[in-house]
Amino acid sequence: MATHRADGSTVTDGILIGEGVLLDARPASFASRSAGALIDVAVTIGGLVLAIWVVTGILVWQSDVAAASQWGRAAVIAIVVLLLVVLPTTVETLTRGRSLGKLATGLRVVRDDGGPVRVRHALVRSLVGVFEIWLTAGSVAVITSLANARGKRLGDLLAGTYAVRVRGARSWEQPLVMSPALATWARSADIRRLPDGLALRARQVLDRAPRLAPASRARLTDELAAQMEAYVAPGPPSGTPAESFLHAVLHERRDRELARGRQEQERAVAQAASLHRLPYGVPDPRN
């Protein structure tokens, strides 16, 4: 996405995650995406071969050939679904878009607005990937990626995501400050998802506000507050300065994103713990 700095210059594809961190991330190059995809494919093929080898070894000991054949087909289908759909979806969701290949090549999958991917994004990418990567030997993914300005494959187009190179993050000079007079209002306000670039422009202006001329500072904050107010209900209390309003919205947005992240992490830990429990009615062994 292209956004504009307070001084009039342009930033290309800068994205602002919920924690208020700016990632100066452009769409990943075709070479880096290909390298990450090849690593993921190699790992998946290795897992498939290993799993099928283990299943075959177990079925060899079955005396009923017909039953063994049926169980073998069912096991192969289950393994394929697990490794091609379930596992990639789980990994991308829990790691916020970083599979093993993307971790090795310094990439991350993000939403079109720069936010972290959710389960539905990862699931769509995995399901479409079965067709465009595995059934077509990657040809559809390569053609689609080369034809798209952001290098999106078909799964990204349907999921609303794309891959970026993560170059690290920088700290803002000016922290977000919640005005005590707006704290109660912000906690109860309905803050919808902001359009692409709006949160980033607001954060950039707030970060540079002390260095701006008073007239430019007032004009920019008034314009951004007017745009952002359309996505917040109810509006701020009457007489609220535009700059305080921007601080409050971005501060609350960051806190809600962090809270959602903690909840998802706790949910993932609880689900992982439940998978290790014995079936209902069977008491856990005591030490």
Side-chain angles (χ1 to χ4, degrees), residues 64-254:
D64 190 338
V65 177
S69 178
Q70 292 178 353
W71 278 107
R73 287 193 295 269
V76 169
I77 294 174
I79 291 171
V80 169
V81 172
L82 177 65
L83 293 181
L84 300 191
V85 178
V86 177
L87 189 59
T89 300
T90 303
V91 170
E92 283 200 353
T93 302
L94 296 181
T95 61
R96 295 294 192 273
R98 305 201 76 180
S99 63
L100 184 61
K102 291 179 179 61
L103 185 64
T105 53
L107 306 182
R108 181 188 297 276
V109 176
V110 298
R111 300 195 309 256
D112 284 341
D113 65 350
V117 294
R118 308 289 186 189
V119 176
R120 63 182 180 86
H121 304 100
L123 180 59
V124 170
R125 282 172 46 81
S126 298
L127 289 174
V128 179
V130 174
F131 163 72
E132 65 172 333
I133 295 177
W134 296 100
L135 297 183
T136 64
S139 59
V140 173
V142 170
I143 295 172
T144 308
S145 180
L146 289 174
N148 187 271
R150 285 186 174 182
K152 293 186 174 192
R153 63 179 178 86
L154 188 59
D156 289 316
L157 292 172
L158 295 177
T161 59
Y162 73 115
V164 298
R165 175 170 291 281
V166 182
R167 297 177 181 171
R170 70 166 178 84
S171 298
W172 295 100
E173 295 178 8
Q174 302 297 324
L176 294 173
V177 179
M178 174 68 76
S179 170
L182 297 177
T184 302
W185 164 80
R187 282 194 296 268
S188 60
D190 178 17
I191 302 176
R192 291 186 289 159
R193 196 178 82 177
L194 302 177
D196 294 354
L198 178 57
L200 176 59
R201 292 197 301 274
R203 191 64 181 93
Q204 288 174 335
V205 168
L206 293 177
D207 195 51
R208 295 175 176 82
R211 303 193 299 272
L212 296 175
S216 297
R217 180 173 179 173
R219 177 178 57 81
L220 289 170
T221 53
D222 286 344
E223 290 177 357
L224 290 169
Q227 296 177 39
M228 194 173 291
E229 192 170 357
Y231 300 91
V232 180
S238 179
T240 299
E243 194 167 325
S244 298
F245 169 70
L246 295 176
H247 270 283
V249 172
L250 294 181
H251 189 285
E252 181 65 22
R253 177 177 179 265
R254 179 196 62 191

